[in-house]
């Protein structure tokens, strides 16, 4: 098999793309896989780290807030299209797979123009405009939410779920072992309630600000905080909390600040409640974690799709949601109410776990293989 996989920009696009590449290689190690991403985006580092070759396109998204920056966009699109066409002709793929992100449009559009079969992996409950257009000529669309026929042709849709990291897939089987390891690794106290806060690899400004402003709440209520700030916020937070952590033994005992948590399976295993963004990949992981979750959708995403992702869980009593603009005022009350209600915590954990899909990568591979065989 010769496959091009295109997309990126965030971990939510990159990690599923790598998972798809891994499952292709697992079935046939002689397969040739080429990634196509956007220059200067994180896929240019993450994909080679995973052992795959990647080619970058000079492309950026439409700037909704700074319209003047879109002046050169048409020229970039033309250059991108020409390079995408050249990449396809040189590599001669059997199939081109799009996972979303800046680069997906150019490479999939050219593949379709050259009559090369394409497959889309739509991760969100609200399909992006680019994928809605590309879907018209795509052979299959792999989705992670019900009701996607309002965006795509029903006979092209296959429910696969979103492919996620293997260590999260098998988390339930190793929960006790991982929890013991996590307590030692993060320096936690075993019998205290623990809140895991994460805004993703880059961090979330609003979530970080709410946590920083309410650190006394965790201290006063004897609650452990395992906090992933993201690289953009870490240094500032460390500087501003330095005095508190140095002068208060209780704060030092309870507040655990990390720029990035590499072993998220351990972090998930040790927490009682999770506060997180509502990106598609995050939700797919959380559905296999099976812990109570408070989702805080990012308002800085196209068409507010994270709110749609979150509501898909809220409507099934599988998560709680607080709007980004209301987090400062509502976070501590929501945490207090939840931690006091064991039945609510159990119900949320059970319901979100029921939505998890462990074999999404295998399901997607099955569709890729079927397209090529046909």
């Amino acid at each position: 098999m010769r496959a091009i996989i295109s997309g990126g920009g965030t971990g939510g696009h990159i990690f599923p793309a790598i998972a798809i590449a891994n499952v292709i290689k697992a079935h046939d190690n002689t397969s040739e896989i080429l990634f196509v991403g956007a220059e200067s985006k994180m896929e240019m580092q993450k994909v080679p780290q995973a052992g795959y070759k990647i080619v970058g396109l000079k492309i950026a998204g439409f700037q909704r807030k700074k319209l003047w920056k879109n002046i050169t966009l048409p020229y970039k699109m033309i250059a991108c299209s020409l390079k995408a066409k050249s990449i396809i002709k040189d590599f001669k793929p059997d199939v081109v797979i799009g996972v979303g992100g800046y680069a997906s449009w150019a490479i999939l559009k050219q593949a379709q123009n050259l009559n090369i079969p394409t497959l889309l992996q739509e991760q969100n409950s609200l399909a992006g405009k680019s994928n809605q257009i590309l879907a018209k000529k795509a052979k299959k669309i792999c989705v992670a939410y019900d009701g996607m026929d309002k965006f795509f042709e029903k006979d092209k849709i296959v429910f696969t779920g979103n492919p996620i990291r293997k260590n999260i897939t098998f988390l339930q089987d190793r929960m006790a072992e991982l929890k013991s390891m996590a307590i030692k690794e993060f320096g936690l106290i075993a019998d205290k309630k623990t809140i895991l806060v994460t805004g993703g690899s880059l961090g979330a400004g609003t979530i970080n600000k709410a946590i920083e402003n309410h650190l006394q709440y965790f201290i006063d209520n004897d609650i452990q905080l395992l906090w992933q700030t993201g690289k953009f916020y870490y240094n500032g937070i460390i500087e501003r909390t330095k005095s508190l952590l140095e002068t208060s033994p209780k704060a030092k005992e309870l507040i655990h600040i990390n720029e990035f948590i590499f072993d998220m399976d351990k972090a998930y295993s040790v927490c009682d409640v999770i506060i997180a963004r509502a990106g598609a990949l995050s939700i797919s992981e959380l559905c296999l974690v099976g812990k109570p979750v408070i989702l805080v959708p990012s308002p800085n995403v196209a068409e507010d799709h994270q709110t749609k992702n979150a509501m898909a869980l809220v409507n099934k009593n599988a998560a709680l949601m607080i709007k980004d603009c209301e987090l400062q005022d509502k976070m501590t009350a929501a945490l207090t109410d939840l931690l006091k209600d064991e039945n609510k915590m159990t119900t949320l954990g059970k319901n979100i776990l029921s939505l998890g899909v462990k074999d999404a990568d295998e399901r997607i591979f099955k569709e890729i293989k079927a397209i090529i065989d046909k």
Side-chain angles (χ1 to χ4, degrees), residues 295-315:
L295 295 171
V296 186
S298 171
N300 306 311
V301 294
E303 302 174 77
D304 197 25
H305 67 255
Q306 285 201 8
T307 296
K308 308 296 190 303
N309 292 347
M311 287 306 300
L313 270 64
V314 172
N315 291 336

Side-chain angles (χ1 to χ4, degrees), residues 24 91 101 118 151-152 159 188 201 216 248 276 279 319 338 349 363 365:
I24 292 172
F91 188 75
T118 57
F151 303 112
F152 307 124
F159 181 86
L188 303 174
S201 58
Q216 196 61 46
S248 169
L338 185 56
R363 296 186 189 192
F365 174 79

Side-chain angles (χ1 to χ4, degrees), residues 111-277:
Q112 291 176 350
N113 290 343
L114 294 167
N115 295 316
I116 293 167
T118 57
L119 177 142
L120 295 176
Q121 201 260 316
E122 175 55 66
Q123 297 147 10
N124 292 292
S125 60
L126 177 67
K129 288 288 190 288
S130 294
N131 272 0
Q132 290 183 52
I133 296 170
L134 291 169
K136 294 174 182 178
K137 290 187 177 181
K139 298 297 182 184
K140 287 290 178 182
I141 304 104
C142 297
V143 302
Y145 290 89
D146 297 327
M148 298 301 287
D149 52 350
K150 58 180 173 284
F151 303 112
F152 307 124
E153 293 176 41
K154 194 170 184 177
D155 61 349
K156 290 184 178 182
I157 296 172
V158 182
F159 181 86
T160 60
N162 288 323
I164 62 173
R165 294 170 282 188
K166 287 296 182 185
N167 62 339
I168 307 299
T169 301
F170 300 107
L171 176 65
Q172 291 295 321
D173 301 330
R174 303 178 59 217
M175 191 72 78
E177 174 195 357
L178 288 168
K179 183 174 181 179
S180 178
M181 294 166 65
I183 289 168
K184 294 177 183 178
E185 185 171 316
F186 298 118
L188 303 174
I189 299 170
D191 59 351
K192 291 189 184 296
K193 292 290 187 183
T194 304
I195 310 300
L196 171 64
V197 176
T198 172
S201 58
L202 300 180
T206 305
I207 294 177
N208 284 337
K209 187 176 180 181
I211 295 297
E212 187 176 342
N213 289 345
H214 292 95
L215 287 178
Q216 196 61 46
Y217 165 82
F218 295 94
I219 297 167
D220 292 343
N221 290 276
D222 202 30
I223 298 169
Q224 283 184 138
L225 174 65
L226 184 54
W227 181 11
Q228 177 179 277
T229 65
K231 67 176 183 178
F232 291 146
Y233 304 95
Y234 179 74
N235 289 335
I237 289 170
I238 288 295
E239 185 63 31
R240 291 189 297 272
T241 58
K242 184 178 179 181
S243 177
L244 174 66
L245 295 178
E246 287 182 349
T247 59
S248 169
K250 195 72 174 174
K252 189 173 182 180
E253 174 185 274
L254 294 171
I255 310 301
H256 302 267
I257 305 173
N258 301 264
E259 177 182 338
F260 184 78
I261 298 174
F262 290 94
D263 299 323
M264 281 303 294
D265 52 347
K266 294 176 185 174
Y268 286 141
S269 73
V270 80
C271 69
D272 296 285
V273 175
I274 301 164
I275 298 176
R277 285 299 197 199

